[in-house]
Amino acid sequence: MAKIDRLFQHLIASKGSDLHLAEGQPPKIRVHGAVTPIEGEEILEGETFKQLLAEICDPKAFERYLKIGDLDFAYEMDEDSRFRCNYLQQQNGLGAVFRLIPTEIMSLESLGVPEIVKEFGHMRSGLVLVTGPTGSGKSTTLAALLDYINSNFSRHIITVEEPIEFVHRNKKSILTQREVPIQTPSFADGLRAALREDSDIVLVGEMRDLETISLALTAAETGLLVFGTLHTNNARKTVDRIIDVFPANQQAQVRTMLAASLRGVVAQLLCRRVDKPGRVAVHEIMFATPAVSAIIREGATQKLYDVITGGKGEGMQFMDESIWSKLRDGMISPEEAYMKAIDKTRFKKFLPSDKSHLGDASGENPLSH
């Protein structure tokens, strides 16, 4: 048993999501969104801390980490406990953050993801983006969607991830999981290879650069169903981000490609609950209707708000509607609703009078830009 396993066991027993270690500080854990030190633990220091990190890591990878300052990998403590590990260097020395990966893949229903999201699993080609800030549950939602496909359809699914989080077993589909940089050097290389590997579906863990996004669009155009993630928190910002990655002289062409290949966007945020411990997901859902495609082609993304609001009958949902329903059902507080909302003014009237200053500095409505 590795020495660090004791801290992992404490994290699991506390029902936490992340373990934070940094030289010069005691170990800390995140439980339901709040980070607190572990009581009774000493400050992490020097060679002892270095050995603690080295013990669960491939020696060559650890040497590389000491040179360049960053490393991502997965660690399996036992068959029920896997961790996404990120080693970093910070001002006081070494540091690490570990995210507990649930080994059981939850269903879309148990995650509270709207039923209509299953429609993306029935598609045969195109680009589907699951978006949200770090730690908003994108990987968990995508794993549930892939499991739905795996249980219901015979497809060849290739995932390119950094690191592999959820391990899928073949059900009706064949799953090939590849980890960056171990089994393939980069997301772009993995995606390029998938075009030659008789795949039906490709999951790109992160679409973070021009080359990966460009290849994802090409793959979607050539008949693959491509699932990707971005760190944006609504449909409009997602479309803008994809186009803005490209040089100005290519953007008109990219708008045309995206208009043709985009099938939809699921944006997700996590809100802290007040009715019981834990967090609840809220979603914005956009399907690529002819109106959406036309808006993307003309570059008038500010019009997407009206299309999503008017597309309720087709299963579309604006983020603030989802937040509103959770507030109305007593699941989240007015403060939480206000902080996560896009149109702050709608929720301001529910704030206690002494909290009405919350977020004013950044409280403009992004839809007005």
Side-chain angles (χ1 to χ4, degrees), residues 13-86:
S14 306
K15 295 188 165 48
S17 59
D18 301 81
L19 171 67
H20 290 252
L21 305 180
E23 202 159 337
Q25 296 178 39
K28 295 170 186 174
I29 57 171
R30 183 184 293 276
V31 181
H32 303 322
V35 180
T36 51
I38 301 176
E39 278 184 35
E41 289 291 333
E42 292 181 358
I43 286 172
L44 302 160
E45 289 181 299
E47 197 60 30
T48 313
F49 181 41
K50 186 175 165 185
Q51 289 308 315
L52 190 80
L53 297 181
E55 192 179 3
I56 60 165
C57 184
D58 173 80
K60 280 186 183 165
F62 194 73
E63 281 304 312
R64 194 167 68 244
Y65 154 63
L66 292 177
K67 273 187 197 149
I68 64 171
D70 285 293
L71 176 68
D72 287 295
F73 66 100
Y75 169 64
E76 195 165 294
M77 182 171 74
D78 53 47
E79 60 181 25
D80 297 322
S81 314
R82 275 173 62 80
F83 297 87
R84 185 176 79 196
C85 314
N86 173 256

